[in-house]
Amino acid sequence: MTLATLIEMVYTLLEMFREIMEAVGEEFSGLAAHRYVGEIIQYHRLQASPGYRRAAEHAYQKLLDFGLEAEILSYPAREGVTFWAQPSFQEWEAREGVLHLLEPEGRKLADYREIKLSLIQRSAPFEGEAEIVLLEDGLEVEEYEGLDLTGKVVLTKGDVRRVRYLAVEKGEAAGIIYDGIKELPGLERHLDNALQYTSFWWYGGERKCFGFVLSPPEGERLRRSIKGGSVAKVRAEVISRFWDGSLEVVSALLPGESDEEVVVVAHLCHPQWSANDNASGSATLLEVARSLHRLTHRGRLKKPNRSIRFLLVPELTGTYAYLAAHEERLPKMIAGLNLDMVGESQELCGSTLVVERLPGSTPAFSGDLLERLLEAVADTGAGGYPSFRYGSTPFSGGSDHIILSDPTVGIPSPLLIQWPDRFYHTSLDTQDKVDPKMLARVGKVAGTYAYFLALAEREEATWLAWEMLTRFKERLVRLVQEERRAGRELSKKVGRLQNQGIAGLRSLRRLADIELKGLESELSSFTRRELKDVPGLRNEEVKPRENEWEEEARRLVPRRLYKGPIGVTPHLRRLGSEEREGWWRLEHRYGNALWYLLPLTLYWADGERTLHEIVDLVEMETGKRAAELLVTYCRTLADLDLLHLLER
Ligand SMILES: [Zn+2]
């Protein structure tokens, strides 16, 4: 093929892709999706609960009404069951949860029937009176010295999991009152009367308890009177129960010609209301399914080669359950997309619509395609100006795509998300914060993405290859500029980018058998040209970082025993108290960075690389060098028989 014909083809394909986008954009209704949000948020859809099941049945019925093939798949919700290494847990439901202040004055503090978030989710039943003990945050063992908590209730702004362990498990307190709002880096929250979404997770063997949530001003009032010397006493009533039950995944199919699939996932769970998180992603998925079904049935778009699978899941647990039950199908699932928190009104929520890129261990075409589509939608803003904020970010984890994009699963799935969101995980995440126009944009991107990949053959794959090469060049030029100034290990980073660029191009073979030699050599020679004039590159010295953790990492080679990422939290009770304490220190130090540091560690563990090489790779990808964390994490998983650790 000559360059001229190739360029001609690239233009033709660009036109085709714009036509798909136009068709999807016309059919997808942001207002209809906004109405589905209103339907979904009525349900208190805590994963593994009757409320979630009702939401799943509602979504299932809609998919049938739209004309799709759909089913509800059911997985055991009980202790002792695991989906790969992910433990399941029991169903839970509460009928009532009321907290009355009795002393120093009488008033009602919280009522589950008014706001579901008033209760710490999965609270155990309780009826009785208790004195309140004030803890500042209750995270340190020392705070508990000399306190008698037996049968009392602690008031805290600290992490509920930690406080439960120290106050309830060890100190025999009866319950917890939480009055905090978690901070979001980079965003002022100003959420005076909001309640934080707070939950217990029981995996078996823990000392269960109840808990309530107060708004920070209500908590402050209580704190002031206790600090002023008053004794505070409450009466709590929680009517709730746990039982062995099930959790549901709603699956719908838009059938193609072959047995390959493109997978679109959104988590349907979360408390009532939780509109943007994630009724918005679920509603978008439903409207995308309807739109593509209608467009292909009316002949506006032809029937695709591959099928499109739509999955509504309880977050993480449902994705583990579904994939573990369909393990033999994984190689047929060529790419995915995760829709999580997509409907935000940016003015109200302070959010930006971002594509979260694939992890470095799973380079593929799908991340670049999604970025390209988002740019195309932004281009159509009024008068050529983008009418919303958008961008792309490195892999940061925290939702279902961490399972899909794991190399042992192999369904490279970028995430579309609006982040940060001022109302995230609070009682103020309501339908008025969801913008129908935003749903329409996201629907257009998601629908075009899924259909394009379902359709893609030789020509589409070749167009995508050029798109990927262009993006590779941009990234490389940027990297060389930035790192040259910083003078840091440039050749190593460029080498990594180059390898990923080539692996990304090769992933296109999942779509079609295309000729990649020319593209690969262009990628390599472009890299050489870019580096040619960088001074001092050959003499670049990598400064050694040595400490006990680095040394230990050199001796260890982790090999995976299970597919999918593995969290430590569900297995905590199997750890000794010293190990548990050590793990808590690290968790506290790294915070939300664990959302990506831990999955990335396992992604790179191929049974060949030393943990030290993995520490390097994770640092290159995230800027964080975390030898102590990675060594402790792998040692902990090995102790729990969840990872094999070869010592050299
Ligand atoms: Zn959430």
Side-chain angles (χ1 to χ4, degrees), residues 197 267 270 277 315 424-425:
Y197 163 30
H267 74 83
H270 272 22
D277 185 10
E315 194 173 14
Y424 169 66
H425 278 195

Side-chain angles (χ1 to χ4, degrees), residues 153-181:
V153 175
V154 295
L155 175 60
T156 178
K157 287 182 192 290
D159 180 276
V160 162
R161 183 156 50 85
R162 173 70 171 172
V163 173
R164 190 208 63 85
Y165 177 64
L166 293 177
V168 178
E169 194 91 39
K170 302 212 139 183
E172 300 191 357
I176 297 172
I177 302 174
Y178 178 83
D179 68 335
I181 291 284

Side-chain angles (χ1 to χ4, degrees), residues 523-626:
L523 187 148
S524 299
S525 56
F526 184 87
T527 308
R528 274 195 303 279
R529 287 200 300 277
E530 254 328 273
L531 287 182
K532 198 163 54 87
D533 303 326
V534 179
L537 193 61
R538 246 164 260 120
N539 314 327
E540 189 179 79
E541 216 177 287
V542 179
K543 62 172 186 296
R545 302 183 193 77
E546 278 318 320
N547 61 42
E548 50 175 321
W549 300 107
E550 300 277 342
E551 255 169 61
E552 193 173 347
R554 281 180 206 282
R555 294 197 302 272
L556 301 175
V557 180
R559 184 169 55 81
R560 302 183 64 177
L561 301 172
Y562 291 93
K563 289 183 189 294
I566 306 178
V568 174
T569 310
H571 305 279
L572 276 178
R573 76 209 148 79
R574 289 167 55 203
L575 298 180
S577 58
E578 214 166 292
E579 264 180 299
R580 194 171 173 143
E581 201 57 28
W583 183 252
W584 160 254
R585 299 274 142 229
L586 283 171
E587 271 196 321
H588 198 50
R589 170 147 38 112
Y590 284 94
N592 290 352
L594 294 183
W595 291 358
Y596 53 86
L597 291 173
L598 303 187
L600 288 172
T601 305
L602 291 185
Y603 293 172
W604 289 113
D606 61 355
E608 306 273 331
R609 291 187 182 93
T610 65
L611 189 50
H612 196 264
E613 290 171 290
I614 296 174
V615 170
D616 276 346
L617 285 162
V618 172
E619 184 189 18
M620 269 197 273
E621 185 159 353
T622 66
K624 286 196 165 64
R625 189 164 190 88

Side-chain angles (χ1 to χ4, degrees), residues 197 267 269-271 274 276-278 315 340-341 398-399 419 424-425 429:
Y197 163 30
H267 74 83
C269 63
H270 272 22
S274 285
N276 274 312
D277 185 10
N278 183 35
E315 194 173 14
D340 190 356
M341 301 178 67
S399 183
W419 193 257
Y424 169 66
H425 278 195
D429 177 6

Side-chain angles (χ1 to χ4, degrees), residues 368-432:
D368 285 335
L369 175 64
L370 191 64
E371 279 189 57
R372 181 69 189 87
L373 289 168
L374 182 55
E375 288 163 11
V377 166
D379 270 354
T380 57
Y385 297 100
S387 44
F388 62 101
R389 287 192 294 268
Y390 70 99
S392 61
T393 58
F395 176 79
S396 64
S399 183
D400 297 280
H401 58 296
I402 66 168
I403 309 166
L404 298 162
S405 292
D406 186 322
T408 60
V409 175
I411 311 169
S413 304
L415 163 75
L416 266 178
I417 189 168
Q418 298 241 27
W419 193 257
D421 173 344
R422 181 168 287 127
F423 307 105
Y424 169 66
H425 278 195
T426 72
S427 54
L428 300 184
D429 177 6
T430 44
Q431 196 184 2
D432 54 306

